[in-house]
Every structure is written in structure tokens, then in C-alpha cells.
């Protein structure tokens, strides 16, 4: 243990004049191996303010700038100390989200950096130099064995590897990586200041940081002020939105943009036991299926959701190979027809990792898992490896058991929120970026008719739930049994008007995607609903 007297300015901010003890974390086993870390998302509840034990990082602890990694000699029994750092991610050139993901992949490819959590990505107008394109910004939490200056070296090498050229200070750049925080250390060095000097005035830094550590002290001069306090103290500014990519050709979902359009997802179940069409689609030729998909696009669908395994309650589950055989030919045809492929997002409805991997080789954009990774332990890691946008739905049990699991003693909405927070945390722990996650409240899955109605009434509460805000939402109510019970339509084809009411309610409550069977009619309902409420 060492003690320093801090009474000078670090990074332009006066430090408290007090004795601070530097308490080193105990050495822990190296964390960079392939195990899944299950941790609850910390932003689900605002953390209480804590008085941070800030420590001055001694300059003699910096390895020489030429040292690439802080790695112990081979055979050493001592394990390196693992530190937690927060890194700002930014881009405003070209495929902005793609640049950020490339940087994250390069960080993750190393054995001395592990990304543990990510924020959403936020689109913001440029500061300082305003004559340039809008930025995409986010923050990632990492665990690292690198000392601060070594970490900076790595980040700058990644920027160089991705072709960044700094021509104008704070000007256009394809990738920007900055260290915001490193444990609770203060760093004052010619090349690096921690905490980052400028983050206190930047909403595009504070907002994503607040998703990860809303209750963390950021400045040793004001240890009682936490991330959310700094964000709340910023002057009013135009609202900003999160971005969720669909594919390289379509605009991302801007879930917090009031004027956004609702996406219509067309359902194509290639199964013999689909409750909605009795297996009609499976009996058709691939060419006929293609014409139907093309018609869905012309009628207003922007996403087609293709499934080879029915997940209706009580449905028997087939083998992985059978599910793959039902969908693979159709996917190959869709991806071979540029006229349609460039205008549509392809979603795969499956809970099996092997099916997702096989379909990804042919070409898909979204993996829609009704179990949010609970029915196949390899699903979340596979999703992360494939790098696709994912839909995580709330459900309980399996299609055979879900109807018996409708008890929510702590309240329906709070329980759905809590259980989805757990699934989001599991997805992040597996390596799925937060900006790649879409949520689904699971209408009809482990829910009674009254509970389905309650979800439609209170979807806006789920959207604003701490830890879930900023994520897009899909609502799939089309033709479901509760609509038939209420309207008296026993035949699924007679549930179109009841479905229309649920689609309008979903749009009014903030849904970003509605998943439907009757595409032509529901696209009109969504368009009219957008005109009423998306202003």
C-alpha cells in the first residue's frame, strides 16, 4: 500500500487535497478464456452514489511505449491483474456501425482485452467542427491486463490498422477510440489523461456511459457526482436516438426517433403444422414462395421472417436437419435474386444454433429466437460469432409447457422487464453487442389472453424500463388465439380486424416492428398509425 497527497490539477481539474491510499485489487485468475460470464445488466437500476477511492496512477508503472502487451514471462505462476476500463467508440465516415464493430472485433481478438458489455449506439450531430457528417457513438466496458499507456498504444494501433488519418482535430474520422476511465485511477501523462478531460461536456459520451455505469463517480474533484448527474446537468439539446442495424442496405432502426416508420415483418412459416395456414406454404414450389415474398415487399413489408419449425403451443419439435431442409432452398433463392434481396431484410425464426449457423452461410440478416437463447445453450455464443442483429423474445419453458407458466405474482410488466434484462445480460456476456439487440414481449407465449392485452396497453412502460430504454421492440400479435376469443373468430382467417386493432395499439405504444400474416392490410394499418402517432 502506498499513500499520496493529492492537491494539484490533473487534466485541468483540481483534485481534492486529501490522503488517498492505493489499494491494489488482489490478483485473480486470468479471465481471457472461453467461458460465458453471467452478470445482470447494471443499468437496470440506478446505482446509489458512492464516494470513489480515486488513486493517482504512478508514472513508473507505465511500461515503455514500445511494449505492446503487459504479459508475464512464460511459466510465471503469478497472474496479471485485471482492470476495468471504459472506451468511447465513434465514427462519422462510411459504414459507421461497421467501423465500430471492426474495432471491437480487433480488441476482442487479443488475449489482453475482453469486451464485457457495450452500450447502445447513439447518432449525434458533430460538436466543435460542425461542417461534417453526423456521428455514431457508443461506449464499451472492457477487462484488460494492460497498463493505461499500453492500452492506449493498442487502441491507436487499431485506429491505424483501420485506416484512420487525422487531418483536422475533431474532424471527420472513420474510427475514434478513447479511454474514458481506468478503474478509479487518475492518469496525468503527456499522451493520456484519465478521467477523459472532455467527457463532462459531451452528451454523446455521457449518455452511452450512463447505460453502463449510471451511478459511477467520474471525477476525483467531485466524488459524490455520478454519471447520471453529469448527464442531467447538460444544457437542453435536440433529442438523439439509438441505432440498431438491420443490414448494409437498409437504414437502421432509430428507436427513439419520434417520426420513425414502423417496420412490417411478413411471416413465412415453411412448416406443415403452422396454425395460421395449415402448412400451405410448405406445399408450394420455391418459385411460388419467391413470388409471394416479392408480393409482400410490394405491399409494404420490409422484413421477411422465415421459419422451419412451428413454435405454437403444444407443437411437436422436429430435428435440426429437418428444420434446415425446409428453409435452405428458399433462402438460397432469395439471396440469388438481387431485385428482391436489396430491398428486403431476411429474418430467420429459429431457436437452434445449428440452424442459425447453416442459414448464415447462405445469407440472413436477423436471427429471431423465441427463447432468447434459453432452449439451446450454444445459441447466444453462435449469435455473437455470426454478428447478426438478434431478436430476443420473452417466454417461459418450451412450446409444450409454456401454457402452464403464466403465473406472474410480482406483476406482469415488472416480471417481463426483469426476465428480459437477464436475457440481455446473458446475450452481452456471450459477446452480442447491445446495439444488435431487438426485444419482443412475447404475446401469446406463456401469457393468458388478459396478459396479452395488458402488454399492448403497457408496452410503453417496457420501452422506458431502466436498462431497456433505447432498444427496439417487435410485437407479434397477428391472428393469435386471444384475438379469436375476444372477437369470436374461431377461424384464423377471420381475425384480420382484431389483428388490425392490436397493430394500431402496438404502434401507438412505440413498437418498431409488427410481425404479421396479412401483409397488405396490416401495412396500411401501420402506415395510418404512423401518420397519427409518429409525429
Amino acid at each position: 500500500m502506498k499513500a499520496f497527497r493529492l492537491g494539484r490539477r490533473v487534466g485541468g481539474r483540481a483534485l481534492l487535497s486529501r490522503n488517498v491510499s492505493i489499494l491494489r485489487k488482489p490478483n485473480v485468475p486470468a479471465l481471457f478464456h472461453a467461458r460465458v460470464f453471467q452478470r445482470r445488466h447494471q443499468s437496470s437500476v440506478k446505482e446509489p452514489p458512492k464516494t470513489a477511492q480515486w488513486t493517482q496512477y504512478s508514472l513508473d508503472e507505465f511500461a515503455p511505449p514500445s511494449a505492446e502487451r503487459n504479459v508475464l514471462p512464460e511459466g510465471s505462476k503469478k497472474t496479471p491483474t485485471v482492470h476495468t476500463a471504459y472506451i468511447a467508440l465513434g465514427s462519422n465516415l462510411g459504414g459507421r456501425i461497421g467501423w465500430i464493430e471492426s474495432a471491437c472485433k480487433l480488441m476482442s481478438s487479443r488475449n489482453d482485452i475482453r469486451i464485457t458489455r457495450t452500450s447502445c449506439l447513439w447518432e449525434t450531430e458533430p460538436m466543435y467542427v460542425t461542417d461534417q457528417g453526423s456521428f455514431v457513438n457508443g461506449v464499451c466496458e472492457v477487462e484488460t491486463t494492460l497498463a493505461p499507456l499500453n492500452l492506449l498504444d493498442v487502441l491507436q494501433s487499431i485506429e491505424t490498422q483501420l485506416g484512420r488519418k487525422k487531418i483536422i482535430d475533431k474532424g471527420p474520422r472513420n474510427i475514434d477510440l478513447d479511454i474514458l476511465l481506468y478503474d478509479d485511477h487518475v492518469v496525468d501523462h503527456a499522451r493520456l489523461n484519465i478521467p477523459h478531460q472532455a467527457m463532462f461536456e459531451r452528451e454523446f459520451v455521457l449518455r452511452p456511459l450512463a447505460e453502463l455505469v449510471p451511478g459511477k463517480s467520474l471525477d476525483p474533484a467531485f466524488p459524490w457526482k455520478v454519471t447520471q448527474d453529469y448527464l442531467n446537468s447538460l444544457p437542453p439539446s435536440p433529442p438523439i436516438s439509438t441505432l440498431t442495424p438491420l443490414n448494409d442496405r437498409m437504414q437502421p432502426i432509430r428507436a427513439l426517433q419520434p417520426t420513425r416508420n414502423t417496420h412490417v415483418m411478413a411471416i413465412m412459416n415453411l412448416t406443415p403444422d403452422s396454425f395460421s395456414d395449415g402448412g400451405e406454404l410448405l406445399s408450394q414450389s420455391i418459385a411460388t414462395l419467391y413470388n409471394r415474398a416479392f408480393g409482400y415487399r410490394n405491399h409494404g413489408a420490409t422484413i421477411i421472417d422465415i421459419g422451419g419449425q412451428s413454435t405454437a403451443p403444444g407443437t411437436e419439435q422436429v430435428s435440426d436437419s429437418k428444420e434446415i431442409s425446409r428453409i435452405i432452398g428458399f433462402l438460397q433463392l432469395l439471396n440469388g435474386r438481387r431485385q428482391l434481396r436489396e430491398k428486403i431484410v431476411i429474418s430467420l425464426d429459429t431457436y437452434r444454433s445449428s440452424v442459425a449457423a447453416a442459414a448464415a452461410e447462405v445469407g440472413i440478416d436477423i436471427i429471431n429466437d423465441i427463447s432468447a437463447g434459453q432452449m439451446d445453450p450454444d445459441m447466444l455464443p453462435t449469435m455473437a460469432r455470426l454478428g447478426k442483429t438478434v431478436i430476443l423474445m420473452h417466454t417461459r419453458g418450451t412450446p409444450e409447457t409454456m401454457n402452464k407458466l403464466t403465473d406472474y405474482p410480482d406483476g406482469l410488466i415488472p416480471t417481463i422487464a426483469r426476465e428480459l434484462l437477464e436475457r440481455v445480460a446473458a446475450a452481452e456476456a456471450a459477446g452480442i453487442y447491445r446495439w444488435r439487440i431487438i426485444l419482443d414481449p412475447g404475446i401469446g407465449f406463456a401469457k393468458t389472453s388478459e396478459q396479452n392485452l395488458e402488454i399492448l396497453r403497457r408496452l410503453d412502460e417496457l420501452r422506458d424500463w431502466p436498462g431497456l430504454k433505447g432498444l427496439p421492440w417487435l410485437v407479434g400479435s397477428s391472428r393469435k388465439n386471444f384475438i379469436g376469443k375476444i372477437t369470436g373468430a374461431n377461424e384464423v382467417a377471420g381475425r384480420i380486424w382484431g389483428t388490425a386493432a392490436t397493430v394500431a395499439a402496438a404502434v401507438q405504444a412505440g413498437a418498431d416492428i409488427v410481425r404479421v400474416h396479412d401483409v397488405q392490410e396490416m401495412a396500411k394499418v401501420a402506415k395510418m398509425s404512423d401518420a397519427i402517432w409518429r409525429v
Side-chain angles (χ1 to χ4, degrees):
M1 179 166 30
K2 301 178 183 178
F4 287 87
R5 180 84 173 169
L6 303 181
R8 56 190 181 82
R9 298 183 67 83
V10 174
R13 295 184 173 271
L15 295 178
L16 291 178
S17 180
R18 58 187 175 90
N19 287 322
V20 179
S21 295
I22 299 182
L23 298 177
R24 297 298 180 202
K25 292 182 180 178
N27 287 327
V28 295
L31 299 179
F32 305 106
H33 52 78
R35 67 181 177 90
V36 175
F37 285 74
Q38 299 292 341
R39 62 170 66 178
R40 181 161 298 184
H41 201 287
Q42 293 182 14
S43 62
S44 61
V45 179
K46 182 176 177 179
E47 303 165 3
K50 298 177 182 178
T51 302
Q53 297 299 309
W54 290 91
T55 60
Q56 179 70 34
Y57 201 97
S58 175
L59 295 183
D60 61 14
E61 296 187 41
F62 284 115
S66 60
E68 182 184 2
R69 300 189 181 189
N70 179 19
V71 180
L72 293 171
E74 186 176 354
S76 173
K77 295 182 180 179
K78 184 179 179 181
T79 56
T81 300
V82 178
H83 303 274
T84 300
Y86 294 86
I87 298 172
L89 314 164
S91 175
N92 79 327
L93 290 177
R96 300 169 299 174
I97 297 175
W99 287 120
I100 289 173
E101 291 188 338
S102 294
C104 289
K105 289 175 183 176
L106 287 172
M107 279 190 271
S108 297
S109 69
R110 300 177 59 90
N111 64 8
D112 46 20
I113 300 175
R114 188 176 73 89
I115 295 177
T116 53
R117 292 190 298 156
T118 55
S119 70
C120 291
L121 292 180
W122 297 80
E123 188 173 38
T124 62
E125 293 302 312
M127 290 181 68
Y128 313 117
V129 179
T130 58
D131 186 19
Q132 58 180 318
S134 60
F135 276 84
V136 172
N137 294 102
V139 172
C140 66
E141 177 189 83
V142 305
E143 288 178 341
T144 181
T145 55
L146 294 170
L149 202 59
N150 299 123
L151 179 59
L152 177 64
D153 289 335
V154 170
L155 298 181
Q156 291 181 343
S157 71
I158 289 174
E159 291 177 336
T160 301
Q161 186 174 346
L162 294 177
R164 174 178 174 175
K165 295 180 180 179
K166 188 172 182 178
I167 300 174
I168 303 173
D169 185 38
K170 299 180 177 60
R173 70 214 79 165
N174 66 321
I175 190 65
D176 192 20
L177 306 173
D178 290 312
I179 304 172
L180 303 175
L181 300 166
Y182 183 94
D183 289 338
D184 285 324
H185 290 317
V186 173
V187 177
D188 185 12
H189 188 269
R191 297 180 58 211
L192 180 65
N193 291 107
I194 301 176
H196 193 285
Q197 293 173 295
M199 67 176 171
F200 302 97
E201 64 185 31
R202 297 176 175 177
E203 181 182 9
F204 62 82
V205 174
L206 291 174
R207 193 164 292 281
L209 187 61
E211 291 182 87
L212 300 177
V213 282
K216 182 173 178 58
S217 173
L218 301 185
D219 189 342
F222 306 100
W224 56 88
K225 290 187 67 174
V226 298
T227 311
Q228 193 66 47
D229 295 327
Y230 286 102
L231 179 60
N232 293 342
S233 66
L234 291 178
S237 62
I240 63 176
S241 179
T242 55
L243 296 181
T244 301
L246 295 171
N247 61 26
D248 295 336
R249 299 168 297 281
M250 302 282 287
Q251 284 291 312
I253 296 175
R254 292 170 167 84
L256 297 179
Q257 185 181 77
T259 58
R260 70 195 185 280
N261 291 327
T262 304
H263 285 274
V264 174
M265 174 186 277
I267 300 169
M268 295 192 73
N269 288 327
L270 308 185
T271 63
D273 48 2
S274 171
F275 87 94
S276 63
D277 58 32
E280 174 193 353
L281 294 185
L282 187 62
S283 65
Q284 296 180 354
S285 69
I286 290 179
T288 302
L289 291 175
Y290 174 80
N291 290 334
R292 177 172 290 211
F294 199 86
Y296 285 159
R297 177 65 185 90
N298 288 340
H299 289 144
T302 52
I303 307 171
I304 294 178
D305 193 41
I306 300 167
Q309 166 64 64
S310 176
T311 53
T315 304
E316 181 182 356
Q317 307 303 288
V318 300
S319 67
D320 297 29
S321 58
K322 174 64 73 174
E323 184 178 351
I324 292 171
S325 69
R326 289 174 176 175
I327 63 172
I328 205 71
F330 183 44
L331 287 175
Q332 289 172 333
L333 179 64
L334 285 181
N335 281 285
R337 301 291 180 90
R338 182 177 297 180
Q339 186 179 11
L340 177 61
R341 187 64 179 96
E342 292 183 349
K343 299 178 181 179
I344 205 79
V345 175
I346 296 179
S347 170
L348 175 69
D349 180 7
T350 187
Y351 58 80
R352 289 171 166 151
S353 58
S354 59
V355 178
E361 290 185 8
V362 178
I364 56 173
D365 303 307
I366 294 174
I367 301 170
N368 180 10
D369 181 3
I370 65 156
S371 77
Q374 296 180 93
M375 293 175 66
D376 180 347
D378 293 328
M379 186 53 139
L380 294 180
T382 298
M383 286 174 163
R385 177 175 58 82
L386 297 175
K388 306 297 181 182
T389 293
V390 304
I391 300 172
L392 306 179
M393 193 188 80
H394 177 270
T395 190
R396 290 171 164 182
T398 66
E400 295 90 346
T401 64
M402 65 177 69
N403 280 345
K404 300 176 183 178
L405 303 173
T406 59
D407 188 24
Y408 295 83
D410 296 329
L412 179 67
I413 299 303
T415 303
I416 292 176
R418 185 184 72 248
E419 293 178 0
L420 280 177
L421 282 166
E422 292 171 353
R423 300 319 304 155
V424 170
E428 288 186 303
I432 297 172
Y433 303 135
R434 186 176 179 83
W435 58 78
R436 284 278 181 182
I437 295 175
I438 298 170
L439 298 178
D440 180 342
I443 288 179
F445 289 79
K447 317 288 190 310
T448 65
S449 294
E450 180 54 42
Q451 288 166 347
N452 293 327
L453 295 173
E454 185 176 353
I455 289 172
L456 289 170
R457 294 189 200 106
R458 302 176 63 189
L459 179 65
D460 56 338
E461 294 180 41
L462 281 172
R463 290 182 68 242
D464 285 338
W465 203 272
L468 301 179
K469 187 171 184 178
L471 295 174
W473 288 81
L474 177 149
V475 171
S477 55
S478 181
R479 296 185 177 183
K480 290 193 173 174
N481 287 335
F482 79 103
I483 295 175
K485 290 179 181 179
I486 293 170
T487 63
N490 294 326
E491 299 295 326
V492 292
R495 298 173 186 172
I496 183 171
W497 304 118
T499 296
T502 65
V503 167
V507 173
Q508 189 274 335
D512 300 277
I513 305 170
V514 289
R515 184 176 182 271
V516 301
H517 299 87
D518 305 291
V519 174
Q520 185 172 9
E521 295 84 356
M522 295 310 117
K524 292 177 181 178
V525 172
K527 189 171 184 178
M528 193 67 211
S529 300
D530 284 344
I532 297 171
W533 289 295
R534 299 289 167 89
V535 293

